[in-house]
């Protein structure tokens, strides 16, 4: 009896990683919109608003940041529909564009490093906030490493159970976060007034720079959109979940980051709540905001590691645990604090991947699932297009430029040397 119960609980956890999601396991757009919204609400999203608020006047900051999210939504919808069509995650999709080995040794490695790194960094912020809260307001001293491990494991557990667990978490956390964020903003205005809104700012960032900054904060999540949208039933559902999940919460956190920086001198909603005398609400806000985002980081990194090492597909849960533990350990001991700049640099390498994938699927493959063909080894046209686009984007210091450049270069090169993804030659089993 006990074994039957354990097996039933085990079966609730999502198992497979790279194989297509069956039709009966696909979800409605509202459920996935909550998951998408949960990814957007995190401390870095508030930080984005703060950076813009300190670099330009209020309205240009808000408008440029909002346009950045428009780009995010457009690119996510295009890449997300690919995942919906085929029912597979981003790393699997790249087996056509970059070849089986290119998808494993280039794309999946870049995705995994980035996702594990940010999981560890955000988990470290959460653990530090919890330790400080318990010490100052409860009188209990908890070692920072213990806090990091505790919350890292909790966030990791959600990722291990899969998208259904993320969905349940976000159904609860998103409404609660909306209430807490609204309360914090009202209290900040009550305590500090609106005098800071009129303060003059010496513009140190261009309008287009603000657009780029907004996109860059969500670059990896944009390019790996299919990790979540593969659970959608239709292309229409994919677009609706992205638009209603990403755009509102992205813009709300952006605007709050701008307003709180101007009003309270602090972009972090959790710290603002603590400053106005609501420490419990503050720490709850930070934990929930980190949890909803970080679980997805761990979940997606698990998919990429399965791809890199050709681990049996039904070992997704175990691999996710390993990926999360690596992030926890690196973050707990401060190792990731020294590589945060490197992780940001990876955006220059990640963005062109999306452009090349879009060109291959939507233009060369005419947007038809039956024209998607994974190929053996490296798809040289895809790899070369990615490399050239990454170099150009880096030289121009515009990460999202890599998407457009990658798309254009691939289409040009593909006219002279047709990609193996066009046909069945040298294709491998999907």
């Amino acid at each position: 009896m006990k074994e039957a119960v354990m097996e039933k609980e085990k079966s609730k956890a999502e198992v497979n990683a790279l194989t297509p999601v069956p039709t009966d396991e696909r979800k409605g757009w509202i459920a996935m919109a909550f998951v998408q919204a949960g990814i957007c609400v995190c401390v870095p999203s508030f930080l984005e608003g703060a950076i813009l608020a300190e670099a330009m006047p209020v309205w240009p900051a808000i408008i440029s940041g909002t346009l950045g999210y428009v780009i995010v939504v457009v690119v996510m919808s295009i890449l997300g529909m690919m995942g919906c069509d085929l029912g597979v995650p981003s790393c699997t999709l790249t087996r056509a564009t970059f070849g089986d080995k290119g998808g494993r040794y280039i794309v999946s490695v870049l995705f995994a490093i980035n996702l594990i790194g940010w999981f560890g960094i955000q988990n470290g912020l959460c653990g530090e906030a919890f330790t400080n809260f318990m010490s100052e307001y409860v009188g209990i001293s908890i070692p920072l490493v213990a806090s990091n491990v505790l919350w890292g494991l909790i966030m990791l557990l959600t990722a291990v159970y899969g998208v259904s667990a993320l969905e349940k978490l976000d159904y609860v956390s998103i409404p609660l976060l909306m209430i807490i964020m609204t309360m914090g903003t009202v209290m900040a205005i009550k305590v500090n007034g609106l005098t800071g809104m009129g303060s003059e700012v010496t513009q140190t960032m261009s309008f287009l720079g603000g657009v780029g900054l907004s996109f860059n904060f969500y670059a990896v999540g944009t390019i790996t959109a299919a990790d979540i949208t593969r659970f959608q039933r239709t292309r229409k559902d994919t677009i609706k979940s992205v638009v209603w999940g990403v755009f509102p919460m992205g813009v709300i956190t952006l605007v709050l980051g701008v307003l709180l920086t101007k009003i309270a001198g602090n972009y972090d909603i959790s710290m603002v709540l603590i400053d106005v005398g609501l420490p419990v609400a503050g720490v709850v806000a930070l934990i929930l905001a980190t949890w909803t985002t970080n679980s997805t980081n761990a979940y997606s990194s698990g998919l990429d590691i399965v791809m890199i090492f050709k681990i049996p597909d039904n070992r997704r849960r175990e691999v996710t645990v390993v990926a999360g533990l690596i992030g926890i350990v690196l973050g707990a001991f401060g190792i990731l604090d020294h590589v945060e700049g490197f992780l940001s640099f990876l955006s220059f390498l990640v963005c062109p991947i999306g452009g090349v994938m879009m060109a291959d699927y939507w233009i060369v493959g005419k947007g038809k699932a039956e024209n998607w063909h994974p190929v053996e080894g490296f798809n040289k046209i895809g790899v070369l297009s990615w490399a050239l686009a990454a170099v150009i984007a880096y030289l121009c210091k515009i990460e999202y430029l890599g998407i457009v450049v990658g798309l254009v270069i691939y289409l040009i090169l593909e006219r002279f040397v047709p990609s193996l993804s066009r046909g069945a030659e040298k294709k491998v089993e999907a």
Side-chain angles (χ1 to χ4, degrees):
M1 180 68 178
K2 184 178 179 181
E3 291 180 359
V5 172
M6 290 178 65
E7 186 62 32
K8 184 178 180 181
E9 289 297 315
K10 185 178 179 181
S11 66
K12 292 180 182 179
E14 180 187 321
V15 178
N16 293 341
L18 309 182
T19 53
V21 177
T23 303
D24 61 349
E25 293 182 19
R26 302 291 183 102
K27 302 176 182 293
W29 73 268
I30 294 177
M32 291 295 95
F34 272 89
V35 175
Q36 300 282 17
I39 298 171
C40 289
V41 185
C42 56
V43 174
S45 295
F46 291 102
L47 173 60
E48 171 198 338
I51 295 173
L52 291 173
E54 292 174 349
M56 61 180 71
V58 172
W59 281 112
I62 292 175
I63 295 171
S64 64
T66 300
L67 286 178
Y69 275 108
V70 170
I71 298 174
V72 166
V73 167
V74 171
V75 176
M76 277 193 74
S77 296
I78 296 171
L79 292 172
M81 285 189 286
M82 294 165 57
C84 170
D85 286 355
L86 295 164
V88 297
S90 301
C91 54
T92 301
L93 287 172
T94 63
R95 294 175 64 198
T97 313
F98 297 94
D100 191 47
K101 289 185 178 179
R104 287 176 60 198
Y105 301 134
I106 297 175
V107 179
S108 294
V109 168
L110 288 173
F111 286 167
I113 291 173
N114 206 302
L115 292 163
I116 291 174
W118 287 115
F119 175 88
I121 288 173
Q122 292 203 57
N123 183 62
L125 293 173
C126 181
E128 183 179 4
F130 184 72
T131 289
N132 293 339
F133 169 79
M134 294 299 291
S135 175
E136 187 170 347
Y137 295 98
V138 183
I140 299 175
S141 179
I142 299 178
L144 179 57
V145 171
S147 284
N148 287 342
V149 172
L150 170 65
W151 286 106
L153 291 176
I154 291 173
M155 296 172 193
L156 183 55
L157 183 62
T158 311
V160 168
Y161 269 81
V163 168
S164 292
L166 295 173
E167 175 190 340
K168 292 179 176 63
L169 169 66
D170 291 315
Y171 268 137
V172 175
S173 61
I174 295 303
L176 183 56
L177 275 167
M178 289 294 293
I179 293 171
I180 292 174
M181 289 190 298
T182 301
M183 180 173 61
T185 305
V186 171
M187 291 293 293
I189 294 173
K190 186 176 180 180
V191 172
N192 299 285
L194 293 171
T195 55
M197 293 295 294
S199 60
E200 293 188 10
V201 175
T202 301
Q203 186 153 341
T204 57
M205 182 184 295
S206 68
F207 185 84
L208 287 179
V211 174
L213 178 74
S214 180
F215 177 87
N216 295 341
F217 267 82
Y218 204 58
V220 178
T222 301
I223 305 304
T224 58
D227 293 353
I228 303 299
T229 62
R230 64 192 177 123
F231 287 92
Q232 297 282 203
R233 298 190 181 108
T234 65
R235 289 181 176 182
K236 185 176 179 180
D237 280 353
T238 299
I239 295 172
K240 288 163 72 174
S241 70
V242 170
V243 171
W244 291 106
V246 173
F247 192 74
M249 291 309 298
V251 174
I252 286 171
T253 51
L254 161 74
V255 172
L256 287 181
V258 172
L259 296 181
L260 292 174
T261 300
K262 293 290 187 180
I263 295 168
N266 195 329
Y267 67 87
D268 189 338
I269 186 69
S270 61
M271 293 306 299
V272 170
L273 286 163
I274 290 172
D275 290 341
V276 298
L278 298 171
V280 174
V283 77
V284 168
L286 185 138
I287 289 172
L288 285 179
T290 306
W291 191 351
T292 56
T293 304
N294 241 12
S295 293
T296 310
N297 286 336
Y299 173 78
S300 291
S301 65
L303 302 177
D304 295 315
I305 292 177
V306 168
M307 176 90 166
I308 294 168
F309 295 105
K310 278 195 171 182
I311 296 170
D313 200 63
N314 61 356
R315 295 298 180 186
R316 183 203 68 82
R317 295 169 299 189
E318 294 87 338
V319 172
T320 303
V321 170
V322 173
L325 290 176
I326 293 172
I328 291 170
V329 170
L330 293 177
F333 291 97
I335 296 172
L336 292 174
D337 295 340
H338 303 289
V339 297
E340 191 167 342
F342 171 71
L343 293 176
S344 297
F345 162 75
L346 290 182
S347 294
F348 288 106
L349 303 181
V350 169
C351 287
I353 293 170
V356 178
M357 287 171 64
M358 287 191 287
D360 183 60
Y361 187 84
W362 291 103
I363 301 176
V364 175
K366 297 179 170 50
K368 297 179 180 180
E370 60 268 26
N371 292 338
W372 181 82
H373 301 289
V375 299
E376 291 180 353
F378 292 92
N379 188 341
K380 295 178 182 178
I381 299 301
V383 173
L384 180 59
S385 301
W386 161 76
L388 291 173
V391 170
I392 292 171
Y394 180 72
L395 292 176
C396 294
K397 301 300 179 184
I398 304 175
E399 288 92 330
Y400 64 90
L401 179 64
I403 297 174
V404 178
V405 175
L407 184 149
V408 172
I409 291 177
Y410 184 81
L411 292 178
I412 293 172
L413 294 179
E414 214 275 338
R415 287 182 63 87
F416 297 98
V417 184
S419 170
L420 291 175
S421 63
R422 270 184 177 271
E425 305 97 342
K426 298 185 181 179
K427 73 175 183 179
V428 297
E429 291 298 319

